[in-house]
Amino acid sequence: MGSGLIASIQRFSLHDGPGIRTTVFFKGCQLKCPWCHNPETIARKAELIFYPQKCIGCGACLEVCPAGAHKLSPDGQHEIDRDLCTGCFKCCDECFSGALQIVGQSRSVQDVLREVMQDELFYSNSHGGVTLSGGEPLLQAEFAAELLKECRSLGLRTAIESNLALPWSVIEKVLPFTDLFMVDIKHFDAKKHRDLTGVDNRLVLENIQKLDDSPVELIVRTTLVAGLTDSPGNIRQTAEFLKELKSLKYYELLTYHPLGLDKCIALGKIEASEKFSAPDSQEIQRLLGIASLAARPVFLDGKGIAENELRSEN
Amino acid sequence: MNYDQRIEHLREEKLRQTNEKLKKLGTRDEDDYGCVLPPDDFHWEPPVTRDDGSFFGAYAWGKNFRSLMENHPVYIDSCDALAGRWMFMLSRMRPGYRLELAPFPPEFDYSHLRNEQGKYDITCGIGKDAHFAPDYEIGLRLGWGGLLEKVRDCKSKLGDQDGLELLTAEEDAILGIQNWITRSAEHAGNMAAREPDPILRQNLLDMHEVNARLVEYPPQTFREACQWIAWFNMASRTHNRDGAGGQLDELLRPYYEKDINRGLIDDEDATFYLACLLLNDPHYYQIGGTGSNGEDVTSKLSFLILEAAKRLKVSCNLTISVHDGLDENLFRFGLQCLLEEKMGFPRFSGEKSLVKGFVRSGFSRDLARKRIAVGCNWMSLPGREYTLNDVIKINIAKVFEVAFEEMIGDVEDEPASLERLAELFSSHLGKAVLCTAKGIDFHLDRQFRNEPELLLNLLCYGPIEKARDASNGGLEYYNMCIDGAGLATVADSFAAIEQRVVREGRLDFSELADNLHKDFEGIEGRRIRQMLGGSEKFGQGDSLGDKWAGWLTDNFAETVKSANTPGGRRLMPGWFSWADTVRFGKSVGATPDGREANTPISHGANPNPGFRKDQALTAMCKAVAAVQPGYGSTAPWQLELDIGACDIADAADKIGGLIKTHLELGGTLININVVNAEQILQAHENPDLYPDLIVRVTGFTAYFSNLSKEFRQLVVDRIITR
Ligand code: SF4
Ligand code: SF4
């Protein structure tokens, strides 16, 4: 059995599908959404992450680094010259403060499964299961398929969070073993989508339609980033598109959260840590109203919005 | 005024009284009791004291309690269905009272035990009171008049001096209570005459009538039954802070059904009376669970009790006893209350494991089913079992420290090793348990000469009939609980040594000892602290910490269980620290798990905060279920749920799944807090901002602003990981 590059595994994850779930975060993504809240899952290789606020200045990393990439100034300032770093990760083994960490480990199906199965009883007691997320799990489709197949054979419910910007043939690999697809439509406008993420959305929309003809459930989501994805037109068009779907469980709007910022800085991607914001709550209410005109039901950040909470919008 | 408005008024009044108490008495790290302050000009002194102002023995307690009752101010709120509030704790009016150390007559000297009690930081429980459960059924059946008759009847048949003294004191206690109730009934009548609002006037007239009857007769109606329970609770609190309750839905069901069938009340009335009872005092009540044939006893009342608590929105200590046949709707409704009200109720206990454990302790399944959850961490057979739950504890972090220091001091003779440490720990644990057991004997042999259980005796099977105090052989069963505290601290310490010293050889025992003695001083010390703290922890799942926690649990349970006290009393092990983690922590230096000197030890059976990177509650759930001592005492899981987890579509499925799985895996009791981390932080900085914020500290709930800074920190630490 193969192995996959895994960023992390989160047990008792509450926001990645129904019930109690374990989410396996895959490493590597082909899109470049600038507001990504999991920036540590974008690169397709293991990375060094550094949280300066945790560093106690013990100097252990300096001693072990063969490349001399760490510098500790007398005033306790710690810097890493990432150009020198060869990615041996010896420093991470010696850093007990948690300041230096490695993201991305090669793990076998069995290894991941062992961790996933720790919570088996919880899944059955809460209608939960396992979710593959990332990153883009389908960039490692063989591994994902193998893992899902094993999960299924052990009686677990399965879900994938994907951007679907991949050929249908790739999706087909996991389709037989997946119960639920959670998919993002980052922007409905093809050009804007390309500007924002670096890829076209045609494939995404096509694949959603194909999934709608497959025996799976669908949740579609849009992250609301002020000035980028929160135009009423965008939400209206997306909702209109979803209106026709048979297997849509709900359309979910997600409020942008600056969770990814610190991680960008910790990854040394200062340039990526551009500041974004979420639309204000009034605007969000308005967008929910627009979305609900076409697609139903509508969710906001994991919670269903009741009919009477929706503002009508013409 | 309608019921909702009256509840609103009562809640506001309670909040005002709580703030008044805070101003006058300062912060208190305990339950939010239902007591109120006496009027400013009130003055009372116990009539029977020794020269030093203290008092001991049945005679003095009987006289003093009666006098206090006869002088107790009356309290009536015209919006309340029930009369009375309590204002004093006689047991704390003796000089020298401390929460962790009760007064004891100086002629009974236990200084021979003090050395080891200090060495192992044992909370010995000598002189401690209450902490076992009465059976309200006895009182509801007999009423105060019937109880008095019973006492007098038994007294006439007895010649034994101690017995006579006890029963005379019981008589005094009842007469005092009857006096208080009589005056309260009169007061309600007088207030009615002056009350302009017709609804409230009628309420006061009813209150007058109800209480005038209850002075003598057993309750006949649902309202009377609630009022009777409230009087017993208030009197018992006034006597010695007792706070155990009972199986409330079953106790009240006959009255409810009778009144409903006769059309005397409807569910709105019943809910209001229940709300008044729950407001009167936050006693521990169980609902749900099984009857004697294993059948589910959930009834309409179980729901109404929860509904009343939900409307009341003050701290309540309700526990749902979960078993396979439990009405799923009650479980769901409990979850709904928990998630919507965010006030830490209900709690959930696991019948399956508790019954299994008690059977393992040598009791029948039938008897085991009758044990109910009525305290922070404890179970008791109402009216039949003396346990002293939650007041006898061994600080195992201290035991560990003693073992570690002995090993380090002895290296000349025997080299330090993990095996040697484990061996020394076991041997010191044995000594600590023996010392605790001797303390238990000491207590049981003499407590009746110190402080007899005048109130609880009345609602038990035996003490009155045999004229022997509950602590002195009056009851059928004596299962003396010993709780261990500091499980995760010690498990993680063993694990850190195994990983960093033995396996990886990153430091040796003398370096470790040196760093502990210096409390991880300097940069290198900090690094070592983090290295130790970063080793495999209890709760991670299949970790070294989990292995050691399992070893400790077996070791502790067997050490406690295998030995009766020298006097032949049965012992029962549990893991529980209550909120004593701060006090216990102060006696222990730095530990190998990276804990700094004098900081709190770990909480109950919980893993240390930060035990896993993802903080997965499923991992915590399994960990706590895996360390159950398994003899009928609990090792509660203290579960902090962030508000985010509760504000999602299928929160009830998720949290319900977590609870059910814990109880399925062997868990015994879950104390849950639903918290808004941000709000807690703000309230910690400025308690005045959130005067009505309620948290479940351990088994009990309290207003956050009423807790001392240290205790607030404790709650904050559990929620916001280091
Ligand atoms: S090893 Fe970690 S804590 Fe020590 S100096 Fe390096 S980054 Fe800082
Ligand atoms: S990963 Fe290796 S090369 Fe890079 S900084 Fe750490 S020790 Fe140096």
Side-chain angles (χ1 to χ4, degrees):
Chain A
M1 280 194 190
S3 62
L5 189 62
I6 302 302
S8 63
I9 298 180
Q10 159 91 53
R11 281 166 67 184
F12 194 64
S13 106
L14 295 174
H15 301 279
D16 300 297
I20 295 175
R21 308 193 76 83
T22 294
T23 304
V24 183
F25 290 93
F26 282 54
K27 196 147 160 44
C29 185
Q30 79 282 35
L31 268 53
K32 291 173 188 61
C33 314
W35 61 80
C36 178
H37 71 276
N38 286 333
E40 78 283 13
T41 61
I42 296 176
R44 301 187 199 190
K45 60 174 174 48
E47 282 175 286
L48 186 65
I49 195 159
F50 175 58
Y51 294 105
Q53 65 277 20
K54 290 191 177 174
C55 171
I56 58 165
C58 68
C61 52
L62 269 72
E63 276 173 41
V64 293
C65 176
H70 292 276
K71 276 190 195 68
L72 204 58
S73 68
D75 64 349
Q77 286 285 1
H78 187 148
E79 274 172 31
I80 305 177
D81 188 339
R82 286 182 181 265
D83 292 337
L84 294 179
C85 172
T86 59
C88 71
F89 302 114
K90 283 186 179 146
C91 55
C92 299
D93 290 342
E94 288 307 312
C95 179
F96 297 109
S97 68
L100 287 165
Q101 293 175 30
I102 172 172
V103 208
Q105 272 177 312
S106 172
R107 300 183 70 165
S108 70
V109 170
Q110 282 314 320
D111 183 26
V112 174
L113 214 51
R114 206 171 306 123
E115 184 140 1
V116 165
M117 290 309 283
Q118 291 267 339
D119 285 352
E120 187 186 4
L121 202 51
F122 296 94
Y123 309 144
S124 51
N125 277 339
S126 70
H127 313 292
V130 65
T131 300
L132 309 192
S133 180
E136 173 48 59
L138 296 184
L139 286 184
Q140 305 180 59
E142 262 84 30
F143 178 77
E146 247 182 276
L147 181 58
L148 290 172
K149 190 176 169 192
E150 289 293 325
C151 289
R152 263 290 183 77
S153 73
L154 291 164
L156 306 190
R157 308 268 304 160
T158 56
I160 286 191
E161 289 182 291
S162 167
N163 59 43
L164 290 193
L166 302 122
W168 178 247
S169 57
V170 174
I171 296 163
E172 274 183 314
K173 291 186 184 157
V174 295
L175 200 52
F177 318 115
T178 309
D179 298 307
L180 168 70
F181 273 79
M182 286 177 274
V183 183
D184 285 2
I185 296 184
K186 317 246 178 208
H187 207 293
F188 200 77
D189 181 87
K191 179 172 178 315
K192 293 229 170 86
H193 193 278
R194 197 174 324 106
D195 289 349
L196 287 171
T197 69
V199 291
D200 209 318
N201 69 1
R202 225 174 331 151
L203 211 48
V204 178
L205 301 180
E206 266 174 41
N207 286 334
I208 288 179
Q209 274 162 336
K210 284 184 185 156
L211 279 180
D212 194 41
D213 292 327
S214 320
V216 291
E217 286 189 308
L218 261 174
I219 294 170
V220 177
R221 311 191 285 202
T222 300
T223 303
L224 301 175
V225 188
L228 296 184
T229 64
D230 68 339
S231 73
N234 181 35
I235 301 304
R236 182 175 297 118
Q237 281 176 302
T238 309
E240 286 291 337
F241 168 77
L242 299 178
K243 192 176 175 177
E244 306 302 325
L245 301 182
K246 303 176 290 291
S247 47
L248 183 75
K249 268 181 77 141
Y250 53 84
Y251 177 37
E252 183 174 25
L253 299 183
L254 297 169
T255 312
Y256 164 78
H257 203 287
L259 267 180
L261 269 185
D262 280 352
K263 290 192 272 187
C264 275
I265 296 168
L267 287 159
K269 296 175 183 167
I270 312 294
E271 72 291 348
S273 62
E274 199 183 318
K275 288 251 177 350
F276 298 100
S277 64
D280 64 31
S281 58
Q282 244 188 336
E283 186 58 20
I284 291 175
Q285 288 309 313
R286 183 166 162 232
L287 295 172
L288 283 169
I290 293 174
S292 67
L293 283 181
R296 287 281 168 95
V298 176
F299 272 52
L300 175 69
D301 299 324
K303 216 178 166 186
I305 304 295
E307 209 69 14
N308 56 7
E309 293 172 69
L310 289 165
R311 277 182 28 185
S312 62
E313 181 79 29
N314 301 308
Chain B
M1 269 178 130
N2 63 25
Y3 283 153
D4 283 344
Q5 290 164 327
R6 284 163 70 179
I7 288 180
E8 182 59 33
H9 161 83
L10 291 168
R11 179 180 39 249
E12 275 171 15
E13 196 54 15
K14 180 177 163 87
L15 202 59
R16 191 187 59 74
Q17 288 158 347
T18 308
N19 286 333
E20 244 175 48
K21 279 191 280 181
L22 178 64
K23 274 197 207 107
K24 180 127 191 209
L25 310 171
T27 55
R28 288 165 319 140
D29 299 326
E30 288 186 81
D31 274 80
D32 160 62
Y33 302 124
C35 59
V36 299
L37 292 173
D40 282 340
D41 57 355
F42 180 83
H43 182 76
W44 176 82
E45 278 191 20
V48 182
T49 59
R50 297 185 179 189
D51 292 345
D52 63 356
S54 200
F55 54 91
F56 304 100
Y59 174 77
W61 273 91
K63 293 295 171 224
N64 289 338
F65 179 70
R66 179 171 173 177
S67 161
L68 181 54
M69 287 279 97
E70 288 172 347
N71 287 283
H72 199 293
V74 290
Y75 180 106
I76 307 275
D77 188 318
S78 55
C79 286
D80 203 324
L82 307 180
R85 289 284 186 280
W86 61 282
M87 301 175 185
F88 315 95
M89 281 185 217
L90 187 55
S91 57
R92 294 190 182 182
M93 291 168 133
R94 289 188 290 178
Y97 174 87
R98 274 189 288 151
L99 189 56
E100 70 282 7
L101 191 68
F104 215 75
E107 59 270 31
F108 302 128
D109 176 27
Y110 59 95
S111 56
H112 58 291
L113 297 175
R114 286 237 168 83
N115 190 14
E116 282 203 329
Q117 287 172 350
K119 180 174 175 184
Y120 299 121
D121 198 7
I122 293 166
T123 307
C124 65
I126 294 175
K128 280 294 190 178
D129 47 24
H131 292 89
F132 63 102
D135 189 347
Y136 289 78
E137 207 269 323
I138 299 176
L140 291 171
R141 185 162 33 83
L142 297 178
W144 294 111
L147 286 169
L148 186 61
E149 208 176 303
K150 177 176 164 187
V151 169
R152 286 180 172 159
D153 184 45
C154 293
K155 205 174 138 186
S156 69
K157 294 179 193 148
L158 272 160
D160 162 77
Q161 190 51 44
D162 284 335
L164 272 178
E165 188 183 330
L166 178 71
L167 294 186
T168 306
E170 298 289 358
E171 231 180 312
D172 277 328
I174 297 171
L175 291 169
I177 294 166
Q178 286 179 316
N179 175 292
W180 189 25
I181 302 175
T182 306
R183 287 181 297 117
S184 301
E186 280 165 11
H187 190 61
N190 295 338
M191 278 175 75
R194 296 192 302 270
E195 175 61 55
D197 181 305
I199 292 183
L200 299 184
R201 190 182 326 121
Q202 188 56 50
N203 179 51
L204 288 165
L205 287 172
D206 293 344
M207 196 189 284
H208 164 75
E209 210 177 295
V210 162
N211 285 289
R213 259 186 51 72
L214 287 184
V215 172
E216 193 59 38
Y217 302 105
Q220 295 294 325
T221 64
F222 186 71
R223 181 171 178 173
E224 285 180 4
C226 291
Q227 177 74 72
W228 199 93
I229 292 176
W231 282 125
F232 181 83
N233 289 348
M234 290 186 282
S236 187
R237 286 287 201 199
T238 310
H239 178 254
N240 67 1
R241 196 201 67 151
D242 162 49
Q247 177 81 29
L248 194 59
D249 46 5
E250 278 298 274
L251 281 169
L252 289 175
R253 193 167 53 86
Y255 302 92
Y256 167 76
E257 284 173 353
K258 199 167 95 188
D259 284 10
I260 287 278
N261 290 340
R262 289 192 304 180
L264 277 183
I265 57 167
D266 61 16
D267 283 349
E268 276 301 296
D269 300 319
T271 309
F272 179 66
Y273 299 155
L274 288 166
C276 292
L277 176 61
L278 296 176
L279 179 95
N280 187 275
D281 197 276
H283 266 53
Y284 284 82
Y285 297 115
Q286 177 176 295
I287 55 176
T290 55
S292 45
N293 298 318
E295 78 284 6
D296 183 32
V297 298
T298 301
S299 65
K300 187 71 196 283
L301 255 191
S302 322
F303 290 88
L304 294 185
I305 291 165
L306 272 178
E307 176 64 32
K310 195 167 182 292
R311 290 201 200 164
L312 197 54
K313 299 187 201 315
V314 303
S315 63
C316 287
N317 290 315
L318 299 176
T319 307
I320 296 184
S321 168
V322 180
H323 60 103
D324 290 345
L326 178 72
D327 184 338
E328 180 67 17
N329 292 325
L330 184 68
F331 182 70
R332 285 269 152 180
F333 189 43
L335 279 174
Q336 192 193 333
C337 293
L338 182 76
L339 300 176
E340 282 177 11
E341 301 310 323
K342 304 173 178 59
M343 293 202 161
F345 71 81
R347 313 180 302 157
F348 297 87
S349 64
E351 207 206 51
K352 195 169 83 183
S353 332
L354 286 165
V355 166
K356 195 171 148 201
F358 202 52
V359 168
R360 195 165 155 224
S361 275
F363 296 93
S364 75
R365 180 162 292 271
D366 271 1
L367 205 57
R369 284 212 189 95
K370 296 199 172 83
R371 273 186 127 215
I372 57 172
V374 279
C376 270
N377 68 319
W378 48 280
M379 307 293 301
S380 200
L381 281 168
R384 305 172 73 176
E385 186 186 17
Y386 187 85
T387 47
L388 277 196
N389 287 281
D390 192 20
V391 295
I392 302 173
K393 298 189 191 78
I394 299 174
N395 179 357
I396 67 159
K398 188 70 190 171
V399 175
F400 177 89
E401 186 178 61
V402 170
F404 186 85
E405 290 308 324
E406 184 174 326
M407 177 182 77
I408 296 300
D410 265 9
V411 278
E412 305 281 292
D413 300 328
E414 205 164 333
S417 71
L418 188 58
E419 292 70 30
R420 170 128 178 86
L421 181 60
E423 203 178 289
L424 283 169
F425 175 84
S426 301
S427 128
H428 284 291
L429 182 64
K431 288 179 191 164
V433 169
L434 180 61
C435 170
T436 312
K438 286 180 185 163
I440 288 172
D441 281 341
F442 184 91
H443 169 88
L444 290 173
D445 292 340
R446 297 165 185 82
Q447 171 68 359
F448 72 103
R449 297 200 188 282
N450 172 37
E451 178 193 328
E453 298 286 352
L454 295 187
L455 266 288
L456 290 171
N457 281 344
L458 291 172
L459 303 199
C460 285
Y461 303 92
I464 305 301
E465 292 86 341
K466 295 188 227 165
R468 293 188 73 164
D469 187 55
S471 68
N472 184 35
L475 297 183
E476 271 168 275
Y477 303 107
Y478 288 79
N479 289 312
M480 306 306 297
C481 298
I482 300 185
D483 287 324
L487 170 66
T489 302
V490 178
D492 288 353
S493 290
F494 271 114
I497 292 175
E498 177 164 0
Q499 182 177 344
R500 302 306 192 189
V501 179
V502 180
R503 285 197 188 168
E504 298 171 2
R506 284 181 185 267
L507 76 174
D508 62 24
F509 277 104
S510 84
E511 283 168 314
L512 172 63
D514 202 36
N515 274 284
L516 295 183
H517 296 154
K518 291 183 182 151
D519 198 12
F520 307 112
E521 177 190 272
I523 270 280
E524 186 54 18
R526 283 175 70 191
R527 182 176 134 79
I528 287 175
R529 171 172 178 247
Q530 283 175 331
M531 174 177 76
L532 294 165
S535 33
E536 294 185 19
K537 286 184 169 309
F538 163 51
Q540 285 172 343
D542 294 332
S543 69
L544 286 175
D546 289 302
K547 181 188 88 173
W548 282 103
W551 179 82
L552 283 165
T553 301
D554 293 345
N555 197 344
F556 180 72
E558 292 319 314
T559 307
V560 171
K561 199 61 209 161
S562 62
N564 286 343
T565 69
R569 276 86 174 210
R570 195 192 285 263
L571 299 174
M572 202 175 265
W575 287 129
F576 191 56
S577 57
W578 196 69
D580 282 330
T581 53
V582 175
R583 179 167 64 83
F584 281 141
K586 283 186 179 148
S587 76
V588 186
T591 37
D593 61 336
R595 175 191 146 278
E596 286 168 322
N598 313 123
T599 58
I601 57 163
S602 61
H603 188 97
N606 275 34
N608 273 309
F611 69 106
R612 254 178 84 94
K613 222 169 157 185
D614 64 6
Q615 292 295 311
L617 292 183
T618 48
M620 202 192 229
C621 171
K622 290 176 77 171
V624 177
V627 293
Q628 297 295 322
Y631 283 101
S633 278
T634 68
W637 178 21
Q638 175 70 36
L639 168 59
E640 253 70 43
L641 278 175
D642 191 76
I643 205 126
C646 308
D647 205 23
I648 45 177
D650 57 349
D653 270 346
K654 286 171 170 151
I655 308 307
L658 202 59
I659 292 170
K660 280 198 174 157
T661 310
H662 182 66
L663 300 179
E664 235 173 278
L665 290 173
T668 43
L669 181 64
I670 313 179
N671 296 323
I672 311 182
N673 238 343
V674 175
V675 291
N676 180 339
E678 230 164 85
Q679 193 185 51
I680 291 269
L681 273 179
Q682 282 174 8
H684 184 37
E685 287 305 312
N686 188 355
D688 295 341
L689 279 181
Y690 298 97
D692 51 357
L693 177 63
I694 289 173
V695 293
R696 186 164 286 284
V697 182
T698 80
F700 69 86
T701 53
Y703 287 105
F704 191 67
S705 60
N706 270 12
L707 299 171
S708 68
K709 194 155 191 221
E710 261 176 337
F711 267 61
R712 296 202 305 269
Q713 187 66 48
L714 197 77
V715 176
V716 167
D717 285 348
R718 285 206 310 257
I719 294 161
I720 292 112
T721 316
R722 327 181 237 209

